[in-house]
Amino acid sequence: QMILNVFSKIKKDVFIKMRKKGLFTTPDQRKYPMEIIEMPQNVKVKENPDMRFMRLARDLLVVDMATSTLGWAVTSNVPVIYMNHEKSPLEDEVYEAMKSALFLIDVKADNKWENELIELLSMPLSEIKKEWQEMEEKRKKFKKNYLTGVKREKNDFYRWIQYISDLGVEELRKR
């Protein structure tokens, strides 16, 4: 949907990094939607190199999951757009911190997000970078609190175990 409804409408080259599934050496036999649809001229799909390296060669990154990829993207010092999906939303505290630290688009069923993303991606790169710079202090705080971890204290491990214990097994399974 994003490829056909958003990326095809912007006048910039788009490279989509396929996410590797697991650490197995056997080839992934699943079919991805990107292998079925006809790609717009400005969109290319890449499996390699690994995101750790590819992130440094881009002008802008769009991330759609809060995985290690988000950490690699944010630490690249390249503007990052995070797609916050209605079906797998961020926790409220993380959402509020991220909203002021990087570009955040709420993906909802009404598809209004498509126009918001097209508008952002259609901006001149210099304007995007200027806005990105203005978020730098908030981003430093976001990285410290949610990506790289705060300064460790003597009782951090104990507090983490207590937190997990207090949540209970059923609550953890929901996450």
Side-chain angles (χ1 to χ4, degrees):
Q1 182 177 350
M2 192 182 315
I3 294 169
L4 298 177
N5 296 348
V6 177
F7 294 153
S8 68
K9 295 179 181 177
I10 62 171
K11 296 182 182 349
K12 294 179 180 166
D13 290 330
V14 176
F15 294 92
I16 297 174
K17 170 68 172 95
M18 295 292 292
R19 184 176 166 313
K20 289 185 180 180
K21 304 289 184 193
L23 301 174
F24 299 108
T25 56
T26 56
D28 188 355
Q29 300 298 317
R30 291 173 283 193
K31 285 282 183 197
Y32 290 93
M34 288 182 272
E35 295 170 345
I36 299 167
I37 65 171
E38 186 175 331
M39 287 293 176
Q41 288 285 343
N42 66 324
V43 178
K44 306 282 184 278
V45 176
K46 303 279 187 183
E47 283 191 40
N48 292 307
D50 188 279
M51 182 62 174
R52 290 175 292 174
F53 310 112
M54 191 172 157
R55 68 193 169 110
L56 302 172
R58 302 293 165 235
D59 295 322
L60 177 79
L61 298 168
V62 178
V63 179
D64 69 348
M65 291 182 71
T67 62
S68 62
T69 301
L70 177 62
W72 288 117
V74 173
T75 58
S76 71
N77 295 320
V78 171
V80 175
I81 301 171
Y82 182 78
M83 308 302 294
N84 185 44
H85 292 272
E86 188 172 48
K87 293 179 181 175
S88 58
L90 296 166
E91 291 183 6
D92 292 343
E93 179 183 320
V94 177
Y95 178 90
E96 288 304 316
M98 188 184 283
K99 185 167 72 171
S100 61
L102 33 131
F103 299 103
L104 186 105
I105 305 280
D106 287 311
V107 179
K108 297 184 179 177
D110 65 11
N111 290 341
K112 290 180 183 177
W113 63 269
E114 291 177 354
N115 288 332
E116 187 179 349
L117 184 58
I118 290 170
E119 187 178 319
L120 178 57
L121 292 173
S122 296
M123 289 171 56
L125 188 57
S126 60
E127 286 182 37
I128 294 171
K129 286 182 176 182
K130 183 178 182 230
E131 284 189 38
W132 181 251
Q133 280 303 117
E134 291 170 1
M135 294 186 266
E136 186 172 5
E137 286 306 312
K138 298 282 186 179
R139 193 167 41 262
K140 283 180 184 175
K141 194 174 191 180
F142 178 79
K143 284 194 280 191
K144 179 181 175 188
N145 291 331
Y146 299 103
L147 297 180
T148 59
V150 296
K151 183 178 177 185
R152 294 194 193 322
E153 294 181 13
K154 189 174 174 180
N155 294 322
D156 282 355
F157 183 71
Y158 171 76
R159 280 191 289 243
W160 179 78
I161 294 294
Q162 187 64 48
Y163 171 76
I164 298 297
S165 175
D166 290 347
L167 274 178
V169 173
E170 292 306 314
E171 183 62 29
L172 287 172
R173 286 187 178 144
K174 290 179 193 175
R175 293 176 177 240

Short mmCIF file of all heavy atoms in Angstrom, two decimals, residues 45-82:
data_model
loop_
_atom_site.label_atom_id
_atom_site.label_comp_id
_atom_site.label_asym_id
_atom_site.label_seq_id
_atom_site.Cartn_x
_atom_site.Cartn_y
_atom_site.Cartn_z
N VAL A 45 14.12 -2.52 -4.48
CA VAL A 45 14.15 -3.36 -3.28
C VAL A 45 15.56 -3.91 -3.12
O VAL A 45 16.17 -4.38 -4.07
CB VAL A 45 13.14 -4.53 -3.40
CG1 VAL A 45 13.24 -5.45 -2.19
CG2 VAL A 45 11.73 -3.99 -3.55
N LYS A 46 16.07 -3.82 -1.89
CA LYS A 46 17.42 -4.30 -1.58
C LYS A 46 17.36 -5.30 -0.43
O LYS A 46 16.66 -5.08 0.55
CB LYS A 46 18.32 -3.13 -1.13
CG LYS A 46 18.44 -2.01 -2.12
CD LYS A 46 19.43 -2.36 -3.17
CE LYS A 46 19.68 -1.16 -4.07
NZ LYS A 46 20.55 -1.45 -5.15
N GLU A 47 18.09 -6.39 -0.56
CA GLU A 47 18.21 -7.33 0.56
C GLU A 47 19.51 -7.08 1.32
O GLU A 47 19.60 -7.35 2.50
CB GLU A 47 18.17 -8.77 0.05
CG GLU A 47 16.78 -9.21 -0.30
CD GLU A 47 16.69 -10.70 -0.54
OE1 GLU A 47 17.35 -11.46 0.19
OE2 GLU A 47 15.97 -11.08 -1.47
N ASN A 48 20.50 -6.60 0.62
CA ASN A 48 21.80 -6.34 1.22
C ASN A 48 22.23 -4.93 0.87
O ASN A 48 21.76 -4.38 -0.12
CB ASN A 48 22.83 -7.34 0.68
CG ASN A 48 22.54 -8.74 1.19
OD1 ASN A 48 22.40 -8.96 2.37
ND2 ASN A 48 22.42 -9.68 0.27
N PRO A 49 23.10 -4.32 1.57
CA PRO A 49 23.77 -4.82 2.76
C PRO A 49 22.87 -4.72 3.99
O PRO A 49 21.77 -4.20 3.92
CB PRO A 49 24.98 -3.87 2.89
CG PRO A 49 24.49 -2.58 2.31
CD PRO A 49 23.55 -2.98 1.20
N ASP A 50 23.40 -5.19 5.08
CA ASP A 50 22.72 -5.12 6.36
C ASP A 50 22.41 -3.67 6.69
O ASP A 50 23.15 -2.76 6.33
CB ASP A 50 23.65 -5.72 7.42
CG ASP A 50 22.97 -5.88 8.75
OD1 ASP A 50 22.88 -4.87 9.47
OD2 ASP A 50 22.52 -6.99 9.06
N MET A 51 21.33 -3.44 7.41
CA MET A 51 20.90 -2.08 7.76
C MET A 51 21.98 -1.30 8.50
O MET A 51 22.07 -0.08 8.35
CB MET A 51 19.63 -2.16 8.62
CG MET A 51 19.05 -0.84 9.01
SD MET A 51 18.55 0.12 7.57
CE MET A 51 17.78 1.48 8.38
N ARG A 52 22.82 -1.98 9.26
CA ARG A 52 23.89 -1.28 9.98
C ARG A 52 24.76 -0.47 9.04
O ARG A 52 25.27 0.59 9.40
CB ARG A 52 24.78 -2.29 10.73
CG ARG A 52 24.12 -2.95 11.89
CD ARG A 52 25.04 -3.99 12.47
NE ARG A 52 25.18 -5.08 11.48
CZ ARG A 52 26.00 -6.10 11.61
NH1 ARG A 52 26.78 -6.19 12.67
NH2 ARG A 52 26.05 -7.03 10.71
N PHE A 53 24.93 -0.98 7.82
CA PHE A 53 25.81 -0.32 6.85
C PHE A 53 25.02 0.54 5.86
O PHE A 53 25.43 1.64 5.53
CB PHE A 53 26.63 -1.38 6.10
CG PHE A 53 27.29 -2.35 7.04
CD1 PHE A 53 26.89 -3.68 7.07
CD2 PHE A 53 28.28 -1.93 7.92
CE1 PHE A 53 27.48 -4.57 7.96
CE2 PHE A 53 28.86 -2.82 8.81
CZ PHE A 53 28.46 -4.14 8.83
N MET A 54 23.88 0.05 5.45
CA MET A 54 23.06 0.74 4.45
C MET A 54 22.55 2.08 4.97
O MET A 54 22.43 3.04 4.23
CB MET A 54 21.88 -0.15 4.09
CG MET A 54 21.10 0.31 2.91
SD MET A 54 19.93 -0.99 2.50
CE MET A 54 18.73 -0.04 1.64
N ARG A 55 22.28 2.17 6.25
CA ARG A 55 21.71 3.38 6.85
C ARG A 55 22.59 4.60 6.65
O ARG A 55 22.11 5.72 6.61
CB ARG A 55 21.47 3.17 8.34
CG ARG A 55 22.78 3.05 9.11
CD ARG A 55 22.58 2.52 10.52
NE ARG A 55 23.88 2.20 11.09
CZ ARG A 55 24.45 2.87 12.07
NH1 ARG A 55 23.84 3.91 12.60
NH2 ARG A 55 25.62 2.51 12.52
N LEU A 56 23.87 4.40 6.52
CA LEU A 56 24.80 5.52 6.41
C LEU A 56 24.86 6.11 5.01
O LEU A 56 25.41 7.17 4.81
CB LEU A 56 26.19 5.07 6.86
CG LEU A 56 26.24 4.53 8.30
CD1 LEU A 56 27.60 3.93 8.60
CD2 LEU A 56 25.88 5.60 9.31
N ALA A 57 24.28 5.41 4.05
CA ALA A 57 24.34 5.86 2.66
C ALA A 57 23.01 6.46 2.19
O ALA A 57 22.80 6.63 1.01
CB ALA A 57 24.72 4.69 1.76
N ARG A 58 22.13 6.80 3.10
CA ARG A 58 20.80 7.31 2.75
C ARG A 58 20.61 8.73 3.24
O ARG A 58 21.23 9.17 4.20
CB ARG A 58 19.71 6.41 3.33
CG ARG A 58 19.82 4.97 2.86
CD ARG A 58 19.53 4.85 1.36
NE ARG A 58 19.98 3.57 0.86
CZ ARG A 58 20.81 3.42 -0.15
NH1 ARG A 58 21.32 4.45 -0.76
NH2 ARG A 58 21.16 2.23 -0.56
N ASP A 59 19.68 9.43 2.60
CA ASP A 59 19.35 10.80 2.99
C ASP A 59 18.24 10.84 4.02
O ASP A 59 18.12 11.79 4.78
CB ASP A 59 18.90 11.60 1.76
CG ASP A 59 20.01 11.78 0.76
OD1 ASP A 59 21.17 11.98 1.19
OD2 ASP A 59 19.74 11.72 -0.45
N LEU A 60 17.40 9.80 4.04
CA LEU A 60 16.23 9.76 4.89
C LEU A 60 15.84 8.30 5.08
O LEU A 60 15.95 7.51 4.14
CB LEU A 60 15.09 10.52 4.20
CG LEU A 60 13.75 10.56 4.86
CD1 LEU A 60 13.77 11.61 5.98
CD2 LEU A 60 12.68 10.94 3.85
N LEU A 61 15.39 7.93 6.27
CA LEU A 61 15.00 6.55 6.54
C LEU A 61 13.56 6.51 7.04
O LEU A 61 13.16 7.33 7.87
CB LEU A 61 15.92 5.92 7.59
CG LEU A 61 17.39 5.82 7.21
CD1 LEU A 61 18.24 5.46 8.42
CD2 LEU A 61 17.59 4.80 6.10
N VAL A 62 12.79 5.54 6.54
CA VAL A 62 11.43 5.30 7.01
C VAL A 62 11.45 3.93 7.68
O VAL A 62 11.85 2.94 7.08
CB VAL A 62 10.41 5.31 5.84
CG1 VAL A 62 9.00 5.02 6.36
CG2 VAL A 62 10.45 6.65 5.11
N VAL A 63 11.02 3.89 8.94
CA VAL A 63 11.03 2.66 9.72
C VAL A 63 9.60 2.37 10.16
O VAL A 63 8.89 3.28 10.60
CB VAL A 63 11.96 2.80 10.96
CG1 VAL A 63 11.96 1.54 11.78
CG2 VAL A 63 13.37 3.16 10.52
N ASP A 64 9.19 1.10 10.07
CA ASP A 64 7.81 0.79 10.41
C ASP A 64 7.64 -0.16 11.59
O ASP A 64 6.54 -0.62 11.85
CB ASP A 64 7.07 0.25 9.19
CG ASP A 64 7.56 -1.12 8.76
OD1 ASP A 64 8.60 -1.57 9.24
OD2 ASP A 64 6.88 -1.74 7.92
N MET A 65 8.72 -0.45 12.31
CA MET A 65 8.61 -1.30 13.50
C MET A 65 9.63 -0.87 14.53
O MET A 65 10.73 -0.46 14.18
CB MET A 65 8.85 -2.77 13.14
CG MET A 65 7.77 -3.40 12.30
SD MET A 65 8.09 -5.14 11.95
CE MET A 65 7.83 -5.85 13.57
N ALA A 66 9.22 -0.99 15.80
CA ALA A 66 10.14 -0.63 16.89
C ALA A 66 11.00 -1.85 17.21
O ALA A 66 10.81 -2.55 18.20
CB ALA A 66 9.36 -0.17 18.12
N THR A 67 11.95 -2.12 16.32
CA THR A 67 12.90 -3.22 16.50
C THR A 67 14.30 -2.62 16.54
O THR A 67 14.46 -1.41 16.58
CB THR A 67 12.79 -4.21 15.31
OG1 THR A 67 13.15 -3.52 14.11
CG2 THR A 67 11.39 -4.79 15.19
N SER A 68 15.31 -3.47 16.46
CA SER A 68 16.68 -2.97 16.44
C SER A 68 16.92 -2.05 15.25
O SER A 68 17.77 -1.17 15.30
CB SER A 68 17.67 -4.13 16.42
OG SER A 68 17.49 -4.91 15.25
N THR A 69 16.15 -2.22 14.18
CA THR A 69 16.28 -1.36 13.01
C THR A 69 16.06 0.11 13.39
O THR A 69 16.74 0.99 12.87
CB THR A 69 15.28 -1.78 11.91
OG1 THR A 69 15.56 -3.13 11.55
CG2 THR A 69 15.37 -0.89 10.69
N LEU A 70 15.11 0.36 14.28
CA LEU A 70 14.87 1.73 14.72
C LEU A 70 16.12 2.30 15.38
O LEU A 70 16.50 3.44 15.11
CB LEU A 70 13.67 1.79 15.68
CG LEU A 70 13.38 3.17 16.26
CD1 LEU A 70 13.02 4.16 15.17
CD2 LEU A 70 12.26 3.07 17.29
N GLY A 71 16.77 1.51 16.22
CA GLY A 71 18.01 1.96 16.86
C GLY A 71 19.09 2.27 15.85
O GLY A 71 19.76 3.30 15.93
N TRP A 72 19.26 1.38 14.86
CA TRP A 72 20.27 1.60 13.81
C TRP A 72 19.94 2.87 13.04
O TRP A 72 20.83 3.67 12.71
CB TRP A 72 20.33 0.42 12.84
CG TRP A 72 20.94 -0.81 13.40
CD1 TRP A 72 20.31 -2.02 13.58
CD2 TRP A 72 22.28 -0.99 13.87
NE1 TRP A 72 21.19 -2.91 14.13
CE2 TRP A 72 22.40 -2.31 14.32
CE3 TRP A 72 23.39 -0.15 13.95
CZ2 TRP A 72 23.58 -2.81 14.84
CZ3 TRP A 72 24.56 -0.66 14.49
CH2 TRP A 72 24.64 -1.98 14.91
N ALA A 73 18.67 3.07 12.74
CA ALA A 73 18.26 4.24 11.97
C ALA A 73 18.50 5.53 12.75
O ALA A 73 19.11 6.47 12.23
CB ALA A 73 16.78 4.12 11.58
N VAL A 74 18.04 5.59 13.98
CA VAL A 74 18.15 6.83 14.77
C VAL A 74 19.61 7.18 15.05
O VAL A 74 19.98 8.34 15.05
CB VAL A 74 17.33 6.73 16.07
CG1 VAL A 74 17.57 7.94 16.97
CG2 VAL A 74 15.84 6.63 15.75
N THR A 75 20.45 6.19 15.26
CA THR A 75 21.86 6.48 15.55
C THR A 75 22.67 6.80 14.29
O THR A 75 23.85 7.10 14.39
CB THR A 75 22.53 5.31 16.32
OG1 THR A 75 22.41 4.11 15.56
CG2 THR A 75 21.89 5.14 17.69
N SER A 76 22.04 6.75 13.13
CA SER A 76 22.74 7.07 11.88
C SER A 76 22.88 8.58 11.66
O SER A 76 23.61 9.00 10.77
CB SER A 76 21.98 6.48 10.69
OG SER A 76 20.77 7.18 10.48
N ASN A 77 22.16 9.37 12.45
CA ASN A 77 22.14 10.83 12.30
C ASN A 77 21.56 11.26 10.95
O ASN A 77 21.87 12.33 10.45
CB ASN A 77 23.51 11.45 12.53
CG ASN A 77 23.95 11.25 13.96
OD1 ASN A 77 23.14 11.36 14.88
ND2 ASN A 77 25.21 10.93 14.15
N VAL A 78 20.72 10.43 10.38
CA VAL A 78 19.98 10.71 9.16
C VAL A 78 18.52 10.89 9.59
O VAL A 78 18.05 10.17 10.47
CB VAL A 78 20.12 9.53 8.16
CG1 VAL A 78 19.20 9.69 6.98
CG2 VAL A 78 21.56 9.39 7.71
N PRO A 79 17.78 11.83 9.01
CA PRO A 79 16.38 11.98 9.40
C PRO A 79 15.60 10.67 9.30
O PRO A 79 15.74 9.92 8.33
CB PRO A 79 15.84 13.01 8.40
CG PRO A 79 17.04 13.82 8.03
CD PRO A 79 18.17 12.83 8.01
N VAL A 80 14.80 10.41 10.33
CA VAL A 80 14.04 9.16 10.42
C VAL A 80 12.55 9.47 10.54
O VAL A 80 12.16 10.33 11.33
CB VAL A 80 14.48 8.33 11.64
CG1 VAL A 80 13.61 7.08 11.80
CG2 VAL A 80 15.95 7.94 11.55
N ILE A 81 11.77 8.76 9.74
CA ILE A 81 10.31 8.81 9.85
C ILE A 81 9.87 7.47 10.43
O ILE A 81 10.20 6.41 9.87
CB ILE A 81 9.64 9.02 8.48
CG1 ILE A 81 10.12 10.32 7.84
CG2 ILE A 81 8.11 9.01 8.63
CD1 ILE A 81 9.68 10.50 6.39
N TYR A 82 9.16 7.51 11.54
CA TYR A 82 8.65 6.28 12.14
C TYR A 82 7.17 6.15 11.85
O TYR A 82 6.39 7.07 12.09
CB TYR A 82 8.88 6.26 13.66
CG TYR A 82 8.40 4.96 14.26
CD1 TYR A 82 9.18 3.81 14.14
CD2 TYR A 82 7.17 4.86 14.88
CE1 TYR A 82 8.74 2.60 14.64
CE2 TYR A 82 6.72 3.65 15.39
CZ TYR A 82 7.51 2.53 15.26
OH TYR A 82 7.06 1.32 15.75
#
